[in-house]
């Protein structure tokens, strides 16, 4: 009924989101983004690295939902979104305050990033912003890309207004900041060809001189 109250306790709830992101981003996302282009290739040497044709399928654009990396990409990111929604649910009963608002902004930034990655790889995807439970429908419909973009934009805009420009401790390196929220907001504006939005978000980051 009284947890969390301290900075450390709030971080103990938000921390698992970063753990989930840390293992996924430099491996799965990199493979799906780079091996499917002419920027990188992972060749097979003898019997090594062939691995069920999963790298070759990315290179030749012959993947299906059963490709190991496509499947992992989908599972990892939807899992991260679900974890964000579950954590947001835990915050519902907490008293309002600066610490709560900052933590909510962190969570929304991570969820918005996850949806940005989903959009980048799959286009329109199911948009889930609440925790799922035993009574939830499992056949969540696929939303349009425009609907997902609106949710990402709303989350990042709200988060950028709350997050600090920089965290005070070096131990907080890697946590979401105002600059991180604005950077992904600029990417969303690039999708929309909203050039004034791109310029405004980018200049806010540059002019802060914090990064």
């Amino acid at each position: 009924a009284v947890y969390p109250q301290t900075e450390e306790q709030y971080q103990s709830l938000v921390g698992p989101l970063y753990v989930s992101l840390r293992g996924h981003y430099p491996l799965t996302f990199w493979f799906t983004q780079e091996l499917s282009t002419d920027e990188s290739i992972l060749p097979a040497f003898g019997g090594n690295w062939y691995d069920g044709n999963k790298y070759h399928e990315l290179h030749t654009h012959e993947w299906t939902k059963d490709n190991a990396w496509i499947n992992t990409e989908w599972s990892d990111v939807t899992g991260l979104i679900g974890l964000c929604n579950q954590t947001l649910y835990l915050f519902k009963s907490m008293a309002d305050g600066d610490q709560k608002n900052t933590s909510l902004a962190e969570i929304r930034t991570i969820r918005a990033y996850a949806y940005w990655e989903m959009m980048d790889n799959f286009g329109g995807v199911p948009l889930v912003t609440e925790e799922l439970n035993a009574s939830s429908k499992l056949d969540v419909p696929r939303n349009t890309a425009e609907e997902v973009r609106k949710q990402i934009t709303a989350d990042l805009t709200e988060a950028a207004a709350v997050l600090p420009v920089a965290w005070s401790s070096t131990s907080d390196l890697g946590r979401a900041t105002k600059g991180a929220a604005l950077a992904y907001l600029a990417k969303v504006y690039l999708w929309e060809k909203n050039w004034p939005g791109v310029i405004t978000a980018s200049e806010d980051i540059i002019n802060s001189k914090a990064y």
Side-chain angles (χ1 to χ4, degrees):
V2 297
Y3 183 91
Q5 292 181 324
T6 67
E7 164 71 12
E8 290 76 16
Q9 289 171 350
Y10 273 96
Q11 286 191 37
S12 73
L13 288 179
V14 180
L17 306 180
Y18 289 106
V19 174
S20 176
L21 181 61
R22 179 181 63 189
H24 160 78
Y25 178 82
L27 185 64
T28 307
F29 185 53
W30 192 91
F31 277 144
T32 56
Q33 288 286 302
E34 302 300 319
L35 296 183
S36 59
T37 72
D38 59 358
E39 294 179 346
S40 181
I41 185 173
L42 202 160
F45 294 97
N48 293 324
W49 298 103
Y50 187 71
D51 290 356
N53 205 35
K54 61 186 179 183
Y55 302 110
H56 186 267
E57 288 176 351
L58 290 177
H59 184 68
T60 57
H61 291 198
E62 295 176 313
W63 64 80
T64 68
K65 65 180 179 61
D66 298 315
N67 179 278
W69 287 116
I70 299 298
N71 198 293
T72 300
E73 166 70 23
W74 179 271
S75 299
D76 280 359
V77 187
T78 52
L80 177 58
I81 291 168
L83 190 57
C84 287
N85 289 335
Q86 181 183 22
T87 308
L88 286 171
Y89 175 77
L90 296 175
F91 277 69
K92 281 185 176 180
S93 60
M94 299 174 191
D96 291 334
D98 291 343
Q99 183 61 65
K100 176 182 176 179
N101 292 337
T102 302
S103 295
L104 288 174
E106 276 191 90
I107 299 167
R108 289 194 177 107
T109 299
I110 296 171
R111 186 179 68 182
Y113 162 76
Y115 267 117
W116 172 84
E117 184 178 320
M118 289 281 282
M119 286 273 294
D120 207 34
N121 273 328
F122 300 106
V125 294
L127 183 59
V128 181
T129 57
E130 296 181 352
E131 75 288 349
L132 298 179
N133 52 49
S135 62
S136 300
K137 292 196 305 181
L138 296 181
D139 55 337
V140 181
R142 182 172 183 165
N143 291 78
T144 66
E146 180 60 25
E147 290 171 327
V148 180
R149 275 201 297 266
K150 286 182 178 179
Q151 181 64 50
I152 296 173
T153 301
D155 277 341
L156 291 174
T157 300
E158 291 179 19
V162 176
L163 287 169
V165 172
W167 295 94
S168 57
S169 172
T170 55
S171 65
D172 291 319
L173 185 65
R175 292 176 67 184
T177 60
K178 180 183 181 74
L182 289 172
Y184 283 110
L185 194 56
K187 288 179 178 289
V188 176
Y189 288 149
L190 279 171
W191 275 334
E192 299 172 348
K193 298 183 179 179
N194 176 356
W195 311 128
V198 175
I199 292 170
T200 299
S202 300
E203 285 187 341
D204 282 349
I205 296 171
I206 294 167
N207 293 336
S208 73
K209 302 185 186 302
Y211 309 106

